[in-house]
Structure formats: structure tokens, C-alpha cells
């Protein structure tokens, strides 16, 4: 099975409590449980990681180049200003799919700019937790199917 990293950035540990009118009522644990099942059905071995720290996210991205075929990343607010995360994505040379629960283009102006998008293979936003499922399909397509 190909390992894939599913990463979540700041404040996503508060899903289910935090602004449910924007982010929904699902918790990060329930989303991860759903993704674990779906990823395994597709032949992936998912690895889950969440950090509120920019450095923690960067360190895990660096590690992923050694043990993962691809990354699904919801960088939260770091999406809009972290050039350090952007550089880490560029450095690892494995496909990264950017994900957002909400439609960032229909929200505050600052959320419409992603500094990481140009170094990601693609961006999926606005479909709630299903954005992550769509990212699984995208990685499967990018990796040419996940059959070893």
C-alpha cells in the first residue's frame, strides 16, 4: 500500500466547535475516520497529522518525502501567508493537493490568495469533508492508481 499523508494545520483540531456555520459540525476525528476507511478501500495507507505550529507542519512535510507517495494538505490560515510551507512543499518533490472545507473564494478577501497553490498539484475547496475525498481521488489519479 502506498502511504499518503493527510495534514491539517492550525485550528482544525477545533472542527465541530469552531464556526460550524462555515466549517460544519464534523470533528477532525470523524473526518479522519471516514478518510481512513475510504483511503484503505482505494489501496492507500493514510497517515494523519495535525499541528497548530508552522514548524511542526514543515517538519512533517520534510519527513513525508521519505515515507509517503503524496500529501493532502489543509494548511488553514497558513495557506495565505506561509512562504516557509510553500518552500517545504517545493522541496519535497512529491505531489501535494491543497484542500479547504469552505469555499475560500466566497469569503474574506485575504482568503482568496493562496501562496501554496502554485506549488501544489491542485486545490479542492468548498465541499466540506468531501473535499478530502476528492483529494484522495486526485492523488490516486496523479499516482497512476495505488496498486503496488
Amino acid at each position: 500500500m502506498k502511504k499518503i499523508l493527510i495534514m491539517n494545520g492550525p485550528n482544525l483540531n477545533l472542527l465541530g466547535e469552531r464556526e460550524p456555520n462555515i466549517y460544519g459540525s464534523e470533528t477532525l476525528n470523524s473526518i479522519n475516520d471516514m478518510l481512513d476507511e475510504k483511503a484503505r478501500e482505494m489501496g492507500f495507507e493514510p497517515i494523519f497529522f495535525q499541528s497548530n505550529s508552522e514548524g511542526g507542519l514543515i517538519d512533517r512535510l520534510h519527513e513525508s518525502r521519505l515515507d509517503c507517495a503524496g500529501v493532502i494538505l489543509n494548511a488553514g490560515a497558513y495557506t495565505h501567508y506561509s512562504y516557509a510551507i510553500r518552500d517545504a512543499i517545493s522541496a519535497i518533490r512529491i505531489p501535494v493537493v491543497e484542500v479547504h472545507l469552505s469555499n475560500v473564494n466566497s469569503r474574506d478577501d485575504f482568503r482568496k490568495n493562496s501562496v501554496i497553490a502554485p506549488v501544489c498539484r491542485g486545490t479542492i475547496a468548498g465541499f466540506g469533508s468531501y473535499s478530502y475525498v476528492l483529494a484522495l481521488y486526485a492523488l490516486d489519479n496523479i499516482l497512476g492508481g495505488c496498486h503496488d
Side-chain angles (χ1 to χ4, degrees):
M1 268 190 198
K2 291 182 181 176
K3 291 182 183 178
I4 56 163
L5 176 62
I6 300 172
M7 293 184 68
N8 286 281
N11 301 311
L12 291 162
N13 57 305
L14 297 179
L15 287 176
E17 300 173 39
R18 176 184 177 221
E19 300 174 276
N21 57 317
I22 295 172
Y23 300 107
S25 59
E26 292 177 278
T27 65
L28 184 58
N29 285 339
S30 68
I31 292 170
N32 286 346
D33 288 345
M34 178 264 301
L35 289 172
D36 185 66
E37 183 177 333
K38 184 63 179 172
R40 290 180 187 284
E41 285 174 12
M42 295 174 71
F44 288 123
E45 180 183 339
I47 299 167
F48 297 96
F49 181 80
Q50 188 278 327
S51 179
N52 293 314
S53 162
E54 185 178 31
L57 294 168
I58 292 166
D59 288 343
R60 189 59 185 101
L61 280 166
H62 289 177
E63 291 172 24
S64 72
R65 79 188 196 289
L66 302 173
D67 64 353
C68 294
V71 178
I72 294 171
L73 171 61
N74 184 340
Y78 289 132
T79 299
H80 314 296
Y81 66 89
S82 179
Y83 293 103
I85 290 175
R86 176 193 169 113
D87 289 349
I89 294 167
S90 291
I92 63 174
R93 296 191 218 174
I94 60 174
V96 177
V97 177
E98 177 185 6
V99 169
H100 299 283
L101 293 161
S102 67
N103 180 353
V104 292
N105 291 306
S106 69
R107 298 184 58 205
D108 312 287
D109 282 343
F110 77 89
R111 294 183 197 277
K112 295 176 184 175
N113 181 50
S114 169
V115 299
I116 67 171
V119 295
C120 290
R121 289 295 295 269
T123 300
I124 300 169
F127 298 99
S129 62
Y130 196 68
S131 292
Y132 292 92
V133 175
L134 293 170
L136 284 172
Y137 284 111
L139 267 185
D140 187 48
N141 182 267
I142 291 165
L143 298 171
C146 50
H147 309 289
D148 290 328

